[in-house]
Amino acid sequence: MAKPAHAGGSPGGNALDLVEMGEFYFLNQKYAEATKVLQKALSLDPRCVKAYYTLGVIHESKNEPDRAREMYEKALSIQPDFKPARDHLDRLVGM
């Protein structure tokens, strides 16, 4: 499986830690907190594929397919072979 490009690392930053925190909030259905933390991760590392992907999953969970698609497409524009984003995008487009 392909590793996400820039999954967490701007120099001196902690984007990956923030993504993990965002995933935790998401799993606990705290979508606003998850979104806030993931946006902070993107402010540290604008190429954080996993942050865009996780935001896509959140939007998909909130029945916001257009926003979800936008996040998956952003992740794929950075790393075209990021399979989780491709799978979710393909499923959304097929709806």
Side-chain angles (χ1 to χ4, degrees):
M1 184 161 107
K3 275 188 88 159
H6 297 279
S10 62
N14 61 351
L16 184 57
D17 290 341
L18 291 171
V19 170
E20 288 176 10
M21 187 182 303
E23 290 170 341
F24 173 80
Y25 283 135
F26 166 72
L27 291 173
N28 288 283
Q29 297 181 347
K30 295 183 177 190
Y31 302 134
E33 292 92 336
T35 299
K36 183 178 177 181
V37 169
L38 291 165
Q39 289 173 338
K40 174 140 174 104
L42 288 170
S43 74
L44 293 172
D45 183 359
R47 295 183 52 81
C48 185
V49 171
K50 200 163 183 192
Y52 286 113
Y53 165 73
T54 306
L55 283 167
V57 173
I58 291 168
H59 289 301
E60 195 172 347
S61 297
K62 293 170 57 180
N63 198 27
E64 298 172 346
D66 291 338
R67 302 279 318 267
R69 184 177 311 122
E70 182 183 334
M71 295 297 106
Y72 297 142
E73 288 173 348
K74 183 67 175 172
L76 291 167
S77 74
I78 296 165
Q79 184 178 337
D81 65 343
F82 188 59
K83 186 169 174 24
R86 172 61 56 205
D87 291 346
H88 278 264
L89 182 61
D90 288 348
R91 188 170 68 233
L92 274 178
V93 171
M95 293 176 95

